[in-house]
Amino acid sequence: MKYQIVNTQDWEWDRLAPYGPDLTAAMKRLEERFPLDISVKHLALECMTGKRVLWLILDEDNAFVSFCCTVDTLNEATGTKVTALTSHAGAEGLDCCDEMCAVIEKWAFDRGADFTAAEGRRGWGRRLQNNGYREYAVIWRKPRPIEEAA
């Protein structure tokens, strides 16, 4: 299948609205999988305020199949600009990875990014490696101990 990777940054609400139910459902699945890291409300707010760029992945008929967000960061110590692909979810899973990476990478590098990065599960590894990504760092977490009531 051929995918359309669409940057919605300059879209008016009316243009995005038809994708709202599918987009919200995909965001909700992400929230359910990572409840300590993401909420639909916060993700939508960051997209609406420009902290994240929302990308729709559509099929040939302009039907929603998934979404991805990008976030730019600037390393103040080195001046390095990184555009990270984050929060990818939808029915197509990683099937759209090659086209998604190509479009977003071009956009990021055209805007002066020094690197692109992808934040996601280890399961993305093989597809991302096929697109030139290499593991850079790993994050481990340990929750705060639950104190027993006295």
Side-chain angles (χ1 to χ4, degrees), residues 43-109:
L43 186 56
L45 182 63
E46 286 194 335
C47 291
M48 290 187 319
T49 60
K51 287 183 91 173
R52 294 181 189 238
V53 175
L54 174 66
W55 297 79
L56 295 181
I57 292 88
L58 309 175
D59 68 12
E60 299 97 348
D61 299 321
N62 290 323
F64 177 89
V65 294
S66 64
F67 82 97
C68 179
C69 292
T70 54
V71 177
D72 289 330
T73 57
L74 179 65
N75 181 319
E76 292 182 21
T78 64
T80 303
K81 182 178 178 182
V82 178
T83 297
L85 289 75
T86 68
S87 309
H88 179 251
E92 295 298 310
L94 292 177
D95 290 347
C96 61
C97 184
D98 297 343
E99 291 171 74
M100 180 178 69
C101 286
V103 170
I104 293 174
E105 289 164 9
K106 180 180 181 335
W107 173 80
F109 293 137

Side-chain angles (χ1 to χ4, degrees), residues 97 101 118 121 124-134:
C97 184
C101 286
R121 297 177 298 104
W124 290 29
R126 182 175 296 147
R127 293 300 292 267
L128 290 169
Q129 287 175 357
N130 291 343
N131 284 282
Y133 290 82
R134 299 292 171 253

Side-chain angles (χ1 to χ4, degrees), residues 1-3 8 22 24 33 36 44 47-48 62 73-74 83 91 108 110 132:
M1 174 184 293
K2 179 115 173 93
Y3 298 99
T8 67
D22 291 327
T24 302
R33 184 166 187 143
L36 299 175
C47 291
M48 290 187 319
N62 290 323
T73 57
L74 179 65
T83 297
D110 285 350

